[in-house]
Amino acid sequence: MSRPLVISDCDEVLLHMVAPYRDFLDEQHDIDFVMDSADFGKAMRHRSDGRLVEPAEIWRLLNLFFDTEMHRQQAIAGAVEGINALAEHADVVILTNLNDHRRDSRAEQLRKVGIDARVFTNQGPKGPALKAILEEYQPSKALFIDDLPQHHGSVAEMLPHVTRLHLCGEPMIAPHIDCAHKAGHAHARIDDWATALPWIMDRLTGDNDD
């Protein structure tokens, strides 16, 4: 019989991203990053005159961060221990929205913090990518973890049988992210691994699929 499968996002689930990105913008680009809403595009302002950073520049800086600064990203509290505990009971893969050429860099980044897992890269909604992963693994059950509500919506629409946990481990942005659980697209919203791990384990090893 096939094993259960855990499909986890990386940024803000396993590794901090916006906190080191904020420091990168501050130290190298004289840009202030203040996340006081769910709109990432309004969080970045030039320190010299308070202008919003243009969308094209946001994408350039994000790409530059992932090309040169991934070493800044540290593990979310409890994430390494949690994902490795799950790996004792299930196959674990990472589904991350990065360009495909960064897949190996992401896998190496995760290995350095203690997570050795297969990495799948994706662009856009995660439902289609997750469907392809399930077709390959044919798991006995599947559980999806992500910090962004739109990805839970995508998975809920395409693969409603997959258990979905909305988890954002970054306190800087967690309060501003719409809750996929309240929207009916996730089975729970839990933002810390100490609480999330027993919830996930119960769904992997028991009969509780709620």
Side-chain angles (χ1 to χ4, degrees), residues 149 152 164 166 174-175 177-190:
H152 288 283
R164 301 172 301 280
H166 188 176
I177 294 178
D178 291 339
C179 180
H181 181 227
K182 289 182 179 178
H185 298 150
H187 295 90
R189 169 77 183 263
I190 305 171

Side-chain angles (χ1 to χ4, degrees), residues 102-122:
R102 297 193 178 100
R103 182 190 61 193
D104 292 346
S105 297
R106 173 119 288 176
E108 178 62 21
Q109 174 191 38
L110 287 167
R111 279 193 292 270
K112 286 181 178 179
V113 301
I115 298 171
D116 190 0
R118 186 178 177 187
V119 172
F120 292 86
T121 48
N122 179 68

Side-chain angles (χ1 to χ4, degrees), residues 4-9 13-14 78-79 81-87 89-92 141-146 152 163-167 187-210:
L5 177 66
V6 174
I7 309 97
S8 177
D9 183 32
V13 174
L14 303 176
E81 299 82 359
I83 210 76
N84 287 333
L86 295 176
H89 302 274
D91 292 324
V92 174
K141 58 179 68 176
L143 190 143
F144 173 69
I145 311 169
D146 205 283
H152 288 283
T163 302
R164 301 172 301 280
L165 173 62
H166 188 176
L167 188 159
H187 295 90
R189 169 77 183 263
I190 305 171
D191 286 339
D192 67 279
W193 272 95
T195 307
L197 180 58
W199 187 92
I200 299 169
M201 199 71 76
D202 185 48
R203 275 127 191 101
L204 289 181
T205 62
D207 296 325
N208 189 343
D209 294 321
D210 295 335

Side-chain angles (χ1 to χ4, degrees), residues 15 17 21 23 53 57 128 135 140 174 182 199:
L15 300 178
M17 184 267 160
Y21 183 60
D23 296 342
V53 176
E57 180 66 359
E135 288 172 352
S140 56
K182 289 182 179 178
W199 187 92

Side-chain angles (χ1 to χ4, degrees), residues 68-84:
T68 66
E69 305 295 324
M70 288 172 72
H71 63 274
R72 291 177 178 254
Q73 294 186 256
Q74 301 300 311
I76 300 280
V80 174
E81 299 82 359
I83 210 76
N84 287 333

